[in-house]
Coordinates of all heavy atoms in Angstrom, one line a residue:
M1 N 76.0 79.9 101.6 CA 77.4 79.8 101.7 C 78.1 80.0 100.4 O 79.1 80.7 100.3 CB 77.8 78.5 102.4 CG 79.2 78.3 102.6 SD 79.8 79.4 103.9 CE 81.3 78.6 104.4
S2 N 77.6 79.4 99.3 CA 78.2 79.5 98.0 C 78.1 80.9 97.5 O 78.9 81.4 96.8 CB 77.6 78.5 97.0 OG 76.3 78.7 96.9
V3 N 77.0 81.6 97.9 CA 76.8 83.0 97.4 C 77.9 83.9 98.1 O 78.5 84.7 97.4 CB 75.4 83.6 97.8 CG1 75.3 85.1 97.5 CG2 74.3 82.8 97.1
L4 N 78.2 83.6 99.3 CA 79.2 84.4 100.0 C 80.6 84.1 99.4 O 81.3 85.1 99.1 CB 79.3 84.0 101.5 CG 80.3 84.7 102.3 CD1 80.0 86.2 102.4 CD2 80.4 84.2 103.7
I5 N 80.9 82.9 99.1 CA 82.1 82.6 98.4 C 82.2 83.3 97.1 O 83.3 83.8 96.7 CB 82.3 81.0 98.3 CG1 82.5 80.4 99.7 CG2 83.5 80.7 97.4 CD1 82.4 78.9 99.7
A6 N 81.1 83.2 96.3 CA 81.2 83.8 95.0 C 81.4 85.3 95.1 O 82.2 85.9 94.3 CB 79.9 83.5 94.3
T7 N 80.7 86.0 96.0 CA 80.8 87.5 96.1 C 82.1 87.9 96.7 O 82.5 89.0 96.4 CB 79.6 88.1 96.9 OG1 79.7 87.5 98.2 CG2 78.3 87.9 96.3
Q8 N 82.8 87.1 97.4 CA 84.1 87.4 98.0 C 85.2 86.8 97.2 O 86.4 86.9 97.6 CB 84.1 86.9 99.5 CG 83.1 87.5 100.4 CD 83.3 89.0 100.7 OE1 84.4 89.3 101.1 NE2 82.3 89.8 100.4
D9 N 84.9 86.2 96.1 CA 85.9 85.6 95.3 C 87.1 86.5 94.9 O 88.2 86.0 94.8 CB 85.3 85.0 94.0 CG 86.2 84.2 93.1 OD1 86.8 83.3 93.6 OD2 86.4 84.7 92.0
W10 N 86.8 87.8 94.7 CA 87.9 88.7 94.3 C 89.0 88.7 95.3 O 90.2 89.0 94.9 CB 87.3 90.1 94.1 CG 86.7 90.7 95.3 CD1 85.4 90.6 95.7 CD2 87.3 91.5 96.3 NE1 85.2 91.3 96.9 CE2 86.4 91.8 97.3 CE3 88.7 91.9 96.5 CZ2 86.7 92.6 98.4 CZ3 89.0 92.6 97.7 CH2 88.0 93.0 98.6
R11 N 88.7 88.4 96.6 CA 89.8 88.4 97.6 C 90.9 87.4 97.3 O 92.0 87.6 97.7 CB 89.2 88.1 99.0 CG 88.3 89.3 99.5 CD 87.7 88.9 100.8 NE 86.8 89.8 101.3 CZ 87.1 90.7 102.3 NH1 88.3 90.6 102.9 NH2 86.3 91.6 102.8
L12 N 90.5 86.3 96.6 CA 91.5 85.3 96.3 C 92.5 85.8 95.3 O 93.6 85.2 95.2 CB 90.8 84.0 95.8 CG 89.8 83.4 96.8 CD1 89.1 82.2 96.2 CD2 90.5 83.0 98.1
R13 N 92.1 86.8 94.5 CA 93.0 87.3 93.5 C 93.7 88.6 93.9 O 94.3 89.3 93.1 CB 92.2 87.5 92.2 CG 91.8 86.2 91.5 CD 91.0 86.3 90.3 NE 89.6 86.5 90.7 CZ 88.9 87.5 90.2 NH1 89.3 88.4 89.4 NH2 87.6 87.7 90.7
A14 N 93.5 89.0 95.2 CA 94.1 90.3 95.6 C 95.6 90.3 95.6 O 96.3 89.3 96.0 CB 93.6 90.5 97.1
A15 N 96.2 91.3 95.1 CA 97.6 91.5 95.0 C 98.3 91.7 96.4 O 99.5 91.6 96.5 CB 98.0 92.6 94.0
C16 N 97.4 92.0 97.4 CA 98.0 92.3 98.7 C 98.0 91.1 99.6 O 98.4 91.2 100.8 CB 97.2 93.4 99.4 SG 95.4 93.0 99.4
R17 N 97.7 89.9 99.0 CA 97.8 88.7 99.9 C 99.2 88.4 100.1 O 100.1 88.5 99.3 CB 97.1 87.5 99.1 CG 95.6 87.6 99.1 CD 95.0 86.6 98.1 NE 95.3 85.2 98.6 CZ 94.4 84.5 99.3 NH1 93.3 85.0 99.7 NH2 94.7 83.2 99.6
G18 N 99.5 87.9 101.4 CA 100.8 87.5 101.7 C 101.5 88.5 102.6 O 100.9 89.4 103.2
P19 N 102.9 88.4 102.7 CA 103.6 89.3 103.6 C 103.5 90.8 103.4 O 103.6 91.6 104.3 CB 105.1 88.8 103.4 CG 105.1 87.7 102.4 CD 103.7 87.5 101.9
Q20 N 103.2 91.2 102.1 CA 103.1 92.6 101.8 C 101.8 93.2 102.4 O 101.7 94.4 102.4 CB 103.2 92.9 100.3 CG 102.1 92.3 99.5 CD 102.4 90.9 99.0 OE1 103.1 90.1 99.7 NE2 101.9 90.5 97.9
S21 N 101.0 92.4 102.9 CA 99.7 92.9 103.4 C 99.9 93.8 104.6 O 99.1 94.6 104.9 CB 98.8 91.7 103.8 OG 99.4 91.0 104.9
T22 N 101.1 93.8 105.3 CA 101.3 94.6 106.4 C 101.3 96.1 106.1 O 101.1 96.9 107.0 CB 102.7 94.2 107.1 OG1 103.7 94.4 106.1 CG2 102.6 92.8 107.7
V23 N 101.6 96.5 104.9 CA 101.7 97.9 104.6 C 100.3 98.5 104.4 O 100.2 99.7 104.2 CB 102.6 98.2 103.4 CG1 104.0 97.8 103.6 CG2 102.1 97.6 102.1
F24 N 99.3 97.7 104.4 CA 97.9 98.2 104.1 C 97.2 98.8 105.3 O 96.2 99.5 105.2 CB 97.1 97.1 103.4 CG 97.5 96.9 102.0 CD1 98.6 96.2 101.7 CD2 96.8 97.5 101.0 CE1 99.0 96.0 100.4 CE2 97.2 97.4 99.7 CZ 98.3 96.6 99.4
F25 N 97.8 98.4 106.5 CA 97.1 98.9 107.8 C 98.2 99.5 108.7 O 99.4 99.1 108.6 CB 96.4 97.7 108.5 CG 95.2 97.2 107.6 CD1 95.4 96.2 106.8 CD2 94.0 97.9 107.7 CE1 94.3 95.7 106.0 CE2 92.9 97.4 107.0 CZ 93.1 96.4 106.1
P26 N 97.8 100.4 109.6 CA 98.8 101.0 110.5 C 99.3 99.9 111.4 O 98.7 99.0 111.8 CB 97.9 102.0 111.3 CG 96.6 102.1 110.6 CD 96.4 100.9 109.7
P27 N 100.6 100.1 111.8 CA 101.2 99.2 112.8 C 100.6 99.4 114.2 O 100.0 100.4 114.4 CB 102.7 99.6 112.8 CG 102.7 101.0 112.4 CD 101.5 101.2 111.5
P28 N 100.7 98.4 115.0 CA 100.2 98.5 116.4 C 101.0 99.3 117.3 O 101.3 99.0 118.4 CB 100.1 97.0 116.8 CG 101.2 96.4 116.1 CD 101.4 97.1 114.8
R29 N 101.5 100.4 116.8 CA 102.4 101.4 117.6 C 102.2 102.7 117.0 O 101.6 102.8 115.9 CB 103.8 100.9 117.6 CG 104.4 100.8 116.2 CD 105.9 100.8 116.1 NE 106.4 100.6 114.8 CZ 106.4 101.5 113.8 NH1 106.0 102.8 114.1 NH2 106.9 101.3 112.6
F30 N 102.7 103.8 117.6 CA 102.7 105.1 117.0 C 103.4 105.1 115.7 O 104.5 104.6 115.5 CB 103.3 106.1 118.0 CG 103.4 107.5 117.4 CD1 102.2 108.3 117.3 CD2 104.6 108.0 116.9 CE1 102.2 109.5 116.8 CE2 104.6 109.3 116.4 CZ 103.4 110.0 116.3
E31 N 102.7 105.8 114.7 CA 103.3 105.9 113.4 C 103.5 107.3 113.0 O 102.5 108.1 113.0 CB 102.4 105.2 112.4 CG 102.9 105.2 111.0 CD 101.9 104.4 110.0 OE1 100.7 104.7 110.1 OE2 102.4 103.7 109.2
R32 N 104.7 107.7 112.7 CA 104.9 109.1 112.3 C 104.3 109.4 111.0 O 104.2 108.5 110.2 CB 106.5 109.4 112.3 CG 107.1 109.2 113.7 CD 108.5 109.3 113.7 NE 108.9 110.6 113.2 CZ 110.1 111.2 113.3 NH1 111.1 110.5 113.8 NH2 110.4 112.3 112.8
K33 N 104.1 110.7 110.7 CA 103.4 111.1 109.5 C 104.2 110.6 108.2 O 103.6 110.1 107.3 CB 103.3 112.6 109.4 CG 102.0 113.1 109.8 CD 101.9 114.6 109.5 CE 100.6 115.1 110.1 NZ 100.4 116.6 110.0
E34 N 105.5 110.8 108.3 CA 106.3 110.4 107.1 C 106.3 108.8 106.9 O 106.2 108.3 105.8 CB 107.7 110.9 107.2 CG 108.6 110.6 106.0 CD 107.9 111.0 104.6 OE1 107.2 112.1 104.6 OE2 108.0 110.2 103.7
E35 N 106.3 108.1 108.0 CA 106.2 106.6 108.0 C 104.9 106.2 107.3 O 104.8 105.3 106.5 CB 106.3 106.0 109.4 CG 107.7 106.1 110.0 CD 107.7 105.6 111.4 OE1 106.8 105.9 112.2 OE2 108.6 104.8 111.7
K36 N 103.8 106.9 107.8 CA 102.5 106.6 107.2 C 102.4 106.9 105.7 O 101.9 106.1 105.0 CB 101.4 107.4 108.0 CG 100.0 107.1 107.5 CD 99.0 107.9 108.2 CE 97.6 107.5 107.6 NZ 96.5 108.1 108.4
R37 N 103.0 108.0 105.3 CA 103.0 108.4 103.9 C 103.7 107.3 103.1 O 103.2 106.9 102.0 CB 103.6 109.8 103.7 CG 102.6 110.9 103.7 CD 103.2 112.2 103.2 NE 102.8 113.2 104.1 CZ 103.6 113.9 105.0 NH1 104.9 113.7 105.0 NH2 103.1 114.8 105.8
Q38 N 104.8 106.9 103.6 CA 105.6 105.9 102.9 C 104.9 104.6 102.8 O 104.9 103.9 101.7 CB 107.0 105.8 103.5 CG 107.9 104.9 102.7 CD 109.3 104.8 103.3 OE1 109.6 105.5 104.3 NE2 110.1 103.9 102.8
R39 N 104.3 104.2 103.9 CA 103.6 102.9 104.0 C 102.4 102.9 103.0 O 102.2 102.0 102.2 CB 103.1 102.6 105.4 CG 102.3 101.4 105.5 CD 101.8 101.1 106.9 NE 101.0 102.2 107.5 CZ 99.8 102.5 107.2 NH1 99.2 101.8 106.2 NH2 99.1 103.5 107.7
E40 N 101.7 104.1 103.0 CA 100.5 104.2 102.1 C 101.0 104.2 100.6 O 100.3 103.7 99.8 CB 99.7 105.4 102.5 CG 99.0 105.2 103.8 CD 98.0 106.3 104.1 OE1 98.1 107.4 103.6 OE2 97.1 106.0 105.0
R41 N 102.1 104.8 100.4 CA 102.6 104.9 99.0 C 102.9 103.4 98.5 O 102.6 103.1 97.4 CB 103.9 105.7 98.9 CG 103.7 107.1 98.3 CD 105.0 107.7 97.9 NE 106.0 107.7 98.9 CZ 106.2 108.7 99.8 NH1 105.4 109.7 99.9 NH2 107.2 108.6 100.7
Q42 N 103.5 102.7 99.4 CA 103.8 101.3 99.0 C 102.6 100.5 98.8 O 102.5 99.7 97.8 CB 104.6 100.6 100.2 CG 106.0 101.1 100.3 CD 106.7 100.4 101.5 OE1 106.3 100.5 102.6 NE2 107.8 99.7 101.2
A43 N 101.6 100.7 99.6 CA 100.3 99.9 99.5 C 99.6 100.3 98.2 O 99.2 99.5 97.4 CB 99.4 100.2 100.7
K44 N 99.6 101.6 97.9 CA 98.9 102.1 96.7 C 99.6 101.6 95.4 O 99.0 101.4 94.4 CB 98.8 103.6 96.7 CG 97.8 104.1 97.7 CD 97.7 105.6 97.7 CE 96.7 106.1 98.7 NZ 96.6 107.6 98.7
E45 N 100.9 101.5 95.5 CA 101.7 101.0 94.4 C 101.3 99.5 94.1 O 101.1 99.1 92.9 CB 103.2 101.0 94.7 CG 104.1 100.5 93.6 CD 104.1 101.3 92.4 OE1 103.9 102.5 92.5 OE2 104.3 100.7 91.3
I46 N 101.1 98.7 95.1 CA 100.6 97.4 94.9 C 99.2 97.4 94.3 O 98.9 96.6 93.4 CB 100.7 96.6 96.3 CG1 102.1 96.4 96.7 CG2 100.0 95.2 96.1 CD1 102.3 95.9 98.2
C47 N 98.3 98.2 94.9 CA 97.0 98.4 94.4 C 96.9 98.7 92.9 O 96.1 98.2 92.1 CB 96.2 99.4 95.1 SG 95.8 99.0 96.8
S48 N 97.9 99.5 92.5 CA 97.9 100.0 91.1 C 98.0 98.9 90.0 O 97.6 99.1 88.9 CB 98.9 101.1 90.9 OG 100.2 100.5 90.8
S49 N 98.5 97.8 90.4 CA 98.6 96.7 89.5 C 97.7 95.5 89.9 O 97.9 94.4 89.4 CB 100.1 96.2 89.4 OG 100.5 95.7 90.6
C50 N 96.8 95.8 90.8 CA 95.9 94.7 91.3 C 94.7 94.5 90.3 O 94.0 95.5 90.0 CB 95.4 95.0 92.7 SG 94.3 93.8 93.3
S51 N 94.4 93.3 89.9 CA 93.4 93.0 89.0 C 92.0 93.1 89.6 O 91.0 93.2 88.8 CB 93.5 91.6 88.4 OG 93.4 90.6 89.4
V52 N 91.9 93.2 90.9 CA 90.5 93.3 91.5 C 90.3 94.7 92.2 O 89.5 94.8 93.1 CB 90.3 92.2 92.5 CG1 90.2 90.8 91.7 CG2 91.3 92.1 93.5
L53 N 91.0 95.7 91.7 CA 91.0 97.0 92.4 C 89.5 97.5 92.5 O 89.1 98.0 93.5 CB 91.8 98.0 91.6 CG 91.9 99.4 92.3 CD1 93.3 100.0 92.0 CD2 90.9 100.3 91.7
G54 N 88.8 97.4 91.4 CA 87.4 97.8 91.3 C 86.5 97.1 92.4 O 85.7 97.8 93.1
D55 N 86.6 95.8 92.4 CA 85.8 95.1 93.4 C 86.2 95.5 94.8 O 85.3 95.6 95.7 CB 86.1 93.5 93.2 CG 85.5 93.0 92.0 OD1 84.3 93.3 91.6 OD2 86.2 92.3 91.3
C56 N 87.5 95.6 95.0 CA 87.9 96.0 96.4 C 87.5 97.3 96.8 O 87.0 97.5 97.9 CB 89.5 95.9 96.4 SG 90.2 96.4 97.9
R57 N 87.6 98.3 95.9 CA 87.1 99.7 96.2 C 85.6 99.7 96.4 O 85.2 100.3 97.4 CB 87.5 100.6 95.0 CG 87.2 102.0 95.3 CD 87.7 102.9 94.1 NE 89.1 103.0 94.1 CZ 89.8 103.7 93.3 NH1 89.2 104.4 92.3 NH2 91.1 103.7 93.3
N58 N 84.9 99.0 95.6 CA 83.4 99.0 95.8 C 83.1 98.4 97.2 O 82.2 98.8 97.9 CB 82.7 98.2 94.7 CG 82.7 98.9 93.4 OD1 82.9 100.1 93.4 ND2 82.6 98.2 92.3
H59 N 83.8 97.3 97.5 CA 83.5 96.7 98.8 C 83.8 97.6 99.9 O 83.0 97.8 100.8 CB 84.4 95.4 98.9 CG 84.5 94.9 100.3 ND1 83.6 94.0 100.8 CD2 85.4 95.1 101.3 CE1 83.9 93.7 102.1 NE2 85.0 94.4 102.4
A60 N 84.9 98.3 99.9 CA 85.3 99.2 101.0 C 84.3 100.4 101.1 O 84.0 100.8 102.2 CB 86.7 99.7 100.7
L61 N 83.9 100.9 100.0 CA 83.0 102.0 100.0 C 81.6 101.6 100.5 O 81.0 102.3 101.2 CB 82.9 102.7 98.6 CG 84.2 103.4 98.1 CD1 84.0 103.8 96.7 CD2 84.5 104.6 99.0
S62 N 81.1 100.5 100.0 CA 79.8 100.0 100.4 C 79.8 99.6 101.9 O 78.7 99.7 102.5 CB 79.3 98.9 99.5 OG 80.1 97.7 99.7
R63 N 80.9 99.1 102.4 CA 80.9 98.6 103.8 C 81.4 99.7 104.7 O 81.3 99.5 105.9 CB 81.9 97.4 103.9 CG 81.5 96.2 103.2 CD 80.5 95.4 103.9 NE 80.0 94.3 103.2 CZ 80.5 93.0 103.3 NH1 81.5 92.8 104.1 NH2 80.0 92.1 102.6
G64 N 81.8 100.8 104.2 CA 82.3 101.9 105.0 C 83.6 101.5 105.8 O 83.7 101.8 107.0
E65 N 84.5 100.8 105.2 CA 85.7 100.3 105.8 C 86.4 101.6 106.4 O 86.6 102.5 105.7 CB 86.6 99.6 104.9 CG 86.1 98.3 104.4 CD 86.1 97.2 105.5 OE1 86.7 97.4 106.6 OE2 85.6 96.1 105.2
Q66 N 86.7 101.5 107.7 CA 87.2 102.7 108.4 C 88.8 102.8 108.4 O 89.3 103.9 108.5 CB 86.8 102.7 109.9 CG 85.3 102.7 110.0 CD 84.7 104.1 109.7 OE1 85.2 105.1 110.2 NE2 83.8 104.1 108.9
H67 N 89.4 101.7 108.2 CA 90.9 101.7 108.3 C 91.6 101.0 107.1 O 91.1 100.1 106.6 CB 91.3 101.0 109.6 CG 90.6 101.5 110.8 ND1 91.0 102.7 111.4 CD2 89.6 101.0 111.6 CE1 90.2 103.0 112.4 NE2 89.4 102.0 112.6
G68 N 92.8 101.6 106.9 CA 93.6 100.9 105.9 C 93.4 101.4 104.4 O 92.6 102.2 104.2
I69 N 94.3 100.9 103.6 CA 94.2 101.2 102.2 C 93.3 100.0 101.5 O 93.6 98.9 101.7 CB 95.6 101.2 101.5 CG1 96.5 102.2 102.2 CG2 95.5 101.4 100.0 CD1 96.1 103.6 101.9
W70 N 92.3 100.5 100.8 CA 91.4 99.5 100.1 C 91.2 100.1 98.7 O 90.9 101.3 98.5 CB 90.1 99.4 100.8 CG 90.0 98.7 102.1 CD1 90.4 99.2 103.3 CD2 89.6 97.4 102.3 NE1 90.2 98.3 104.3 CE2 89.7 97.1 103.7 CE3 89.1 96.3 101.5 CZ2 89.4 95.9 104.3 CZ3 88.8 95.1 102.1 CH2 88.9 94.9 103.5
G71 N 91.4 99.3 97.7 CA 91.2 99.7 96.3 C 92.0 101.0 96.0 O 91.5 101.8 95.2
G72 N 93.2 101.1 96.5 CA 94.0 102.2 96.2 C 93.7 103.5 96.9 O 94.2 104.6 96.6
L73 N 92.7 103.5 97.8 CA 92.3 104.7 98.5 C 92.5 104.6 100.0 O 92.3 103.5 100.6 CB 90.8 104.9 98.3 CG 90.3 105.1 96.9 CD1 88.8 105.2 96.8 CD2 91.0 106.4 96.3
S74 N 93.0 105.7 100.6 CA 93.1 105.8 102.1 C 91.8 106.0 102.8 O 90.8 106.3 102.1 CB 94.1 106.9 102.4 OG 93.5 108.1 102.1
E75 N 91.8 106.0 104.1 CA 90.6 106.3 104.8 C 90.0 107.6 104.4 O 88.8 107.8 104.2 CB 90.8 106.3 106.3 CG 91.5 105.1 106.9 CD 93.0 105.1 107.0 OE1 93.6 105.9 106.3 OE2 93.5 104.3 107.7
N76 N 90.9 108.6 104.4 CA 90.4 110.0 104.1 C 89.9 110.1 102.7 O 88.9 110.8 102.5 CB 91.6 111.0 104.3 CG 91.9 111.2 105.8 OD1 91.1 110.9 106.7 ND2 93.1 111.7 106.1
E77 N 90.6 109.5 101.8 CA 90.1 109.5 100.4 C 88.7 108.9 100.2 O 87.9 109.4 99.5 CB 91.2 108.9 99.5 CG 92.4 109.7 99.4 CD 93.6 108.9 98.8 OE1 93.6 107.7 98.8 OE2 94.5 109.6 98.3
R78 N 88.5 107.8 100.9 CA 87.2 107.1 100.8 C 86.2 108.0 101.5 O 85.0 108.1 101.0 CB 87.3 105.7 101.5 CG 88.1 104.7 100.8 CD 87.8 103.3 101.3 NE 88.1 103.1 102.7 CZ 89.3 102.9 103.2 NH1 90.3 102.8 102.4 NH2 89.5 102.7 104.5
R79 N 86.5 108.6 102.6 CA 85.5 109.5 103.3 C 85.2 110.6 102.4 O 84.0 111.0 102.3 CB 86.2 110.0 104.6 CG 85.2 110.4 105.6 CD 85.8 110.6 107.0 NE 86.4 109.4 107.5 CZ 87.7 109.3 107.9 NH1 88.5 110.3 107.8 NH2 88.2 108.2 108.4
S80 N 86.1 111.2 101.7 CA 85.9 112.3 100.8 C 84.9 111.9 99.7 O 84.0 112.6 99.3 CB 87.1 112.9 100.2 OG 87.9 113.4 101.2
L81 N 85.2 110.7 99.1 CA 84.3 110.2 98.0 C 82.9 110.0 98.5 O 81.9 110.4 97.9 CB 84.8 108.9 97.5 CG 85.9 108.9 96.4 CD1 86.3 107.5 96.0 CD2 85.5 109.7 95.2
L82 N 82.7 109.5 99.7 CA 81.4 109.2 100.3 C 80.7 110.5 100.6 O 79.5 110.6 100.4 CB 81.5 108.3 101.5 CG 81.9 106.9 101.2 CD1 82.2 106.1 102.5 CD2 80.9 106.2 100.3
D83 N 81.4 111.5 101.0 CA 80.8 112.8 101.3 C 80.3 113.5 100.1 O 79.4 114.3 100.1 CB 81.9 113.8 102.0 CG 82.1 113.3 103.5 OD1 81.3 112.5 104.0 OD2 83.1 113.8 104.0
L84 N 81.0 113.3 98.9 CA 80.6 113.9 97.7 C 79.3 113.2 97.1 O 78.6 113.9 96.3 CB 81.7 113.8 96.6 CG 82.9 114.5 96.9 CD1 84.0 114.2 95.9 CD2 82.7 116.0 96.9
S85 N 79.0 112.0 97.5 CA 77.9 111.3 96.9 C 76.6 111.6 97.6 O 76.5 112.2 98.6 CB 78.1 109.8 96.8 OG 78.4 109.3 98.1
Ligands
SF4_1 S1 93.1 96.9 95.3 FE1 94.8 97.0 96.8 S2 93.8 96.6 98.8 FE2 92.4 95.9 97.2 S3 92.7 93.8 96.9 FE3 94.0 94.8 95.4 S4 96.0 95.1 96.4 FE4 94.5 94.6 98.0

């Protein structure tokens, strides 16, 4: 249990905690392309000043997170990175 807490500790310092977390994932309704672009821009802006960006990105890439912005990268950007490796 303490190992899990230690390895996930970065989440406690995530800049996306709180109400702004909604921009990191698609809404539960149809989202137009421009809405998605704008939402993802907002999320990436928050990521750009996040102190745990590296931990978050590594987590998302190693777990193969399928949805949302993680570590400043979209689903497609993570997929591209994984295809290159
Ligand atoms: S890098 Fe972005 S998605 Fe990851 S914890 Fe920080 S703000 Fe959240």
Side-chain angles (χ1 to χ4, degrees):
M1 183 69 161
S2 61
V3 172
L4 180 63
I5 291 170
T7 57
Q8 300 289 308
D9 180 62
W10 60 268
R11 289 175 184 260
L12 300 175
R13 290 175 281 127
C16 54
R17 287 169 64 94
Q20 65 271 28
S21 64
T22 56
V23 298
F24 286 79
F25 294 95
R29 58 164 176 76
F30 176 75
E31 182 179 43
R32 297 173 60 165
K33 265 188 185 176
E34 186 48 41
E35 289 176 313
K36 180 177 180 174
R37 268 192 224 111
Q38 187 177 351
R39 177 179 58 72
E40 290 187 342
R41 258 195 309 272
Q42 288 177 302
K44 289 178 178 183
E45 179 67 30
I46 295 169
C47 290
S48 71
S49 62
C50 181
S51 65
V52 294
L53 186 146
D55 291 314
C56 176
R57 184 175 291 182
N58 289 338
H59 167 85
L61 292 171
S62 66
R63 297 278 175 96
E65 292 287 355
Q66 299 288 308
H67 305 286
I69 301 293
W70 290 78
L73 300 174
S74 69
E75 304 94 341
N76 289 340
E77 291 165 337
R78 289 194 303 277
R79 205 169 297 122
S80 295
L81 275 179
L82 292 172
D83 286 346
L84 292 174
S85 57

